[in-house]
């Protein structure tokens, strides 16, 4: 194989890893939104999008306090719940 094939393979592998990471973060974001929604519903609380987003913002604050950095899945979930 020539050098360009090797470079293409490495770039392709890097992009594949990025997509896998994105997919994992997206799946976790979806799980968090669902779990938050179910907990709110179970308590008899409002389950509107903004209420769920507020709960996730609170979770993000607690996560940052513990780790010093934001959780990517929570951040993605909050962004997805913002009004268009």
């Amino acid at each position: 194989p020539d050098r360009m094939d090797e470079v293409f393979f490495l770039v392709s592998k890097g992009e594949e890893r990025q997509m896998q990471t994105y997919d994992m973060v997206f799946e976790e974001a979806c799980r968090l939104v669902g779990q938050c929604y179910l907990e709110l519903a179970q308590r008899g609380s409002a389950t509107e999008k903004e209420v769920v987003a507020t709960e996730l913002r609170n979770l993000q604050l607690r996560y940052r306090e513990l780790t010093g950095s934001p959780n990517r899945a929570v951040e993605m979930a909050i962004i997805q719940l913002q009004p268009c």
Side-chain angles (χ1 to χ4, degrees), residues 29-78:
C30 292
R31 186 191 72 75
L32 289 166
V33 169
Q35 183 177 354
C36 186
Y37 179 89
L38 290 173
E39 287 180 15
L40 287 167
Q42 187 177 34
R43 289 186 287 197
S45 300
T47 55
E48 287 84 12
K49 184 167 61 168
E50 186 53 43
V51 175
V52 174
T54 298
E55 289 291 315
L56 290 168
R57 283 187 206 97
N58 292 336
L59 175 64
Q60 185 72 295
L61 288 172
R62 289 191 298 268
Y63 188 88
R64 281 181 196 231
E65 288 172 0
L66 291 173
T67 67
S69 62
N71 179 289
R72 289 173 35 191
V74 175
E75 194 69 30
M76 179 184 276
I78 292 168

